[in-house]
Structures are given as structure tokens and as C-alpha cells.
Amino acid sequence: MALTMPVVFADRHDGHDPGGEVWIGVRTPATEVPERAERIRAALAAAGATIVPARPQPDAAVLAVHDRALLAYLASAWDDWVTAGYQEIQDRVVPYLFPHPDLLDGVAPGMPASTAARAGRHCYDTMTLIGPGTYAAARAAIDAALTAADLVLAGARAAYACCRPPGHHATRGGFGGSCYLNNAASAAARLRDALGGPVAVLDVDAHHGNGTQSIFYAEATVLTGSVHVDPGAGWFPHYLGFAGETGGGANRNLPLAPGSGDAEWMAAVADLAGWAKARGARGIVVALGVDAAEGDPESPLRVSERGYVAAGRTLGALDLPTVVVQEGGYDLQAIGRLVHATLAGIEEGRR
Ligand code: SP5
Ligand code: ZN
């Protein structure tokens, strides 16, 4: 059966070529590549989906979930890098110094005059590089998420946004983990404002959705739940994602042991769905990373394609207005069919 939910796509994603990731000081190949989105588009178009262009959104929509300083930094980071002449040395913006809490000891940081120093002001890792098209793509991704939210608010039961770059590691004032602006958080804020009640972000990406958690931490109107590989077992984002981070009941983390497969992962997805329902969510945002799949190069979880269909059914059976936002997923051979499997599951689950 053809996929009925609208699929929102932003062509400008392809201007963002991360150009690599600096890991322990070594430049390694990029994982969050433009081909990811093209594979997803091809799979969903083949399934008969209607592709809708992302509608540009005003700064105010971004500022609902981010600090103005982050937005301003991202908007000018590449041009500033070029103006300062660093492009001759390094073809992406790469930080070298971070205003670490133990550097500042409680003193507010000054604004660095050096463009190279400023590169660490908002970026918390060395893996999330900025090139000429990065800002336009990050804006286009948040446009896509908000366009999908608007389609749902206009009556679609569900809508999918093919967001690239992904967003769930971006906090109000910071970015990292291949993410720049938090697409899922922006969609959740818009749903919450329009539905006049609690909404839930349910994050099934293999990594903890630390940015979304932090943006809404202890905020009862946007519940945040995440199933992910246990950061305590050595996985990104390492410092966050533990079960004890409850936000007074508004946040739920379900870390899984490396090697976990369908049974453990599905139980966690069902737990998150039941939790959102019990807490009276009126709408959900599914932060859909498909990197928990067996064979994905970025995670040790072992979820099957059938697992994604089952997760989709469980989320669809909630029968709530649903915005699905793309997060990670790095196996180019699999990403299209895994996203399609999940969306098809959601549509089956509501019948
Ligand atoms: C959106 C999303 O899925 N972001 C995940 C980012 C996790 N990246 C962490 C990479 C950890 C270092 N791995 C070594 C790779 C060497 N190339
Ligand atoms: Zn991930």
C-alpha cells in the first residue's frame, strides 16, 4: 500500500557537506553525508509518497528553542572563518578551545576576538564541522520539521520531515554530534503551542537525544523520552543519557546494553509510548534515527527491519497527531528501507 503521510523535503540539505569529523585529533570521513537524504527520498518516492517542499520559517521559530547567540553564530561562522583567512589552513570550521566550566570557574566568558577561538564557544565536540552550506541546510532542516508540524496541525494525522542535518544533539545554546539546530524540538514547541496541552518527543535514534532533553528538561508541557545505547557502556554522548535523568518526571531515558536487539528495543519503545499516553500527551514527535539497526556503523544495537515496522505500529496505535523527524542512520544501503518500514508501521498501527 502506498504511503499516505506527506513527506517534507528540503533540497538545500545538499549544500551541507560536513567534510569529515575530527576524532581524537584525526580527520576521519564524514558519516552524516548528503546521500543519506537522497536515499530516503528515493525509497519514499518509490513507495508512492507525496513529497512536499519545506516552507521557510522566520527566526522566531528557531528562537523558540534556541538562544539568539547560537543562531547568530551559526549564521556567520563560515563567512567569518573565510574572512579571517583560516580557510587556507582548514577548509571547515573546526574548534580548538572550549569555554569549559573548569576554565571559567563560574566567571561569564568574554567574547573572543579570534574567530578560531569563537569556534568553540557553542560547539561542544570536534566532530561537527561547518562549511559553506551548513547554515542554510540547518535552517532548511528546521523548516522541514516545522512544515511537517504545520501539516499535522492542519489535519494530516502524521507527517514526516526528512531533516538533514539531524538535530537531537543540539541544545538551546550549543551544538555537536553532527547536529546544529534541534529540528524535533522546534516541531514539539509548535505542536505544544497549538494543541494547548502536553506533547511528547519520543526519540528512537541509537544515541541519547541530549539536546532535546536539555531544551525541555523538567518542562511538563513537552515530555522527552529516549531509548538509546547506554552511554555508561562507552557511547556518545557519554556524559548524558542515564536513567537517573528524570527532569522531575518529564524526561525518561531507557539506556540499552550494546548488542541489544528487537526484543529489548521494542520493549523500550512500547514503554515510551505507554508513558506518553499515561501522561496525557496530545501529540507526539518521533525523533527517528535508524542507526539502532543491525549493521549501522555508528551503533552496536541490532534492531531489524521488522523491529522498525513493529515500533511504527506501536507509535501509530497511540492514534495521536504525529510528526516524524529524521535523526541519524548511517548505513546507506539500509537507510531508505528502514525509514519506509517505520512510516509504513505507523500507518498500519492506526488502522
Ligand atoms: C544524529 C546522530 O546520530 N549523531 C551521532 C553522532 C555520534 N558520533 C559519535 C562518534 C564517536 C566517535 N566514533 C569514532 C568514529 C571515527 N571515525
Ligand atoms: Zn544517532
Side-chain angles (χ1 to χ4, degrees):
M1 206 171 329
L3 210 56
T4 59
M5 76 175 81
V7 166
V8 183
F9 199 89
D11 290 334
R12 269 183 307 161
H13 84 85
D14 70 357
H16 172 52
D17 173 2
E21 300 171 355
V22 176
W23 179 70
I24 61 168
V26 179
R27 189 147 171 180
T28 60
T31 52
E32 202 289 286
V33 293
E35 191 179 348
R36 297 177 58 248
E38 298 306 329
R39 294 271 185 159
I40 293 169
R41 170 154 58 181
L44 300 183
T50 303
I51 312 275
V52 179
R55 267 198 300 271
Q57 305 287 323
D59 285 356
V62 180
L63 297 174
V65 293
H66 288 295
D67 295 341
R68 190 175 287 280
L70 172 63
L71 185 61
Y73 170 73
L74 291 173
S76 69
W78 174 252
D79 288 346
D80 292 350
W81 192 256
V82 173
T83 301
Y86 293 112
Q87 188 188 8
E88 312 301 323
I89 306 167
Q90 178 60 273
D91 70 357
R92 293 292 184 277
V93 178
V94 183
Y96 89 100
L97 174 70
F98 302 89
H100 193 283
D102 293 316
L103 168 64
L104 300 172
D105 263 335
V107 177
M111 174 57 86
S114 154
T115 296
R118 266 210 315 279
R121 177 61 183 82
H122 299 281
C123 190
Y124 59 73
D125 66 23
T126 61
M127 311 275 296
T128 309
L129 311 189
I130 293 175
T134 299
Y135 176 64
R139 278 301 289 254
I142 210 165
D143 290 346
L146 286 161
T147 301
D150 285 343
L151 289 168
V152 164
L153 290 170
R157 299 174 81 194
Y160 166 77
C162 186
C163 296
R164 178 182 176 273
H168 73 153
H169 296 305
T171 63
R172 271 190 193 274
F175 67 100
S178 302
C179 301
Y180 303 86
L181 295 171
N182 198 314
N183 312 307
S186 74
R190 184 160 290 181
L191 282 192
R192 184 260 322 265
D193 292 350
L195 295 175
V199 301
V201 182
L202 303 181
D203 189 323
V204 302
D205 185 279
H207 304 97
H208 173 236
N210 63 289
T212 318
Q213 165 176 306
S214 129
I215 287 169
F216 299 117
Y217 203 58
E219 168 55 65
T221 66
V222 183
L223 308 164
T224 48
S226 181
V227 50
H228 46 266
V229 62
D230 185 0
W235 293 85
F236 191 90
H238 301 285
Y239 294 96
L240 290 165
F242 297 90
E245 298 155 20
T246 60
N251 186 68
R252 188 163 180 81
N253 284 337
L254 300 175
L256 297 181
S260 297
D262 286 355
E264 299 93 327
W265 188 75
M266 264 310 300
V269 172
D271 176 304
L272 292 179
W275 175 72
K277 192 188 184 82
R279 294 218 146 218
R282 295 187 192 177
I284 60 169
V285 175
V286 179
L288 175 62
V290 293
D291 45 4
E294 173 152 36
D296 190 282
E298 293 298 310
S299 119
L301 299 179
R302 305 184 57 183
V303 177
S304 72
E305 183 173 340
R306 290 163 56 96
Y308 281 95
V309 176
R313 287 193 185 118
T314 295
L315 296 166
L318 287 172
D319 207 18
L320 292 168
T322 300
V323 178
V324 185
V325 170
Q326 187 65 41
E327 299 286 357
Y330 307 97
D331 179 349
L332 295 172
Q333 300 301 320
I335 189 169
R337 64 183 163 77
L338 294 172
V339 171
H340 173 256
T342 313
L343 302 185
I346 287 172
E347 295 191 345
E348 285 169 28
R350 356 187 78 164
R351 280 196 273 275

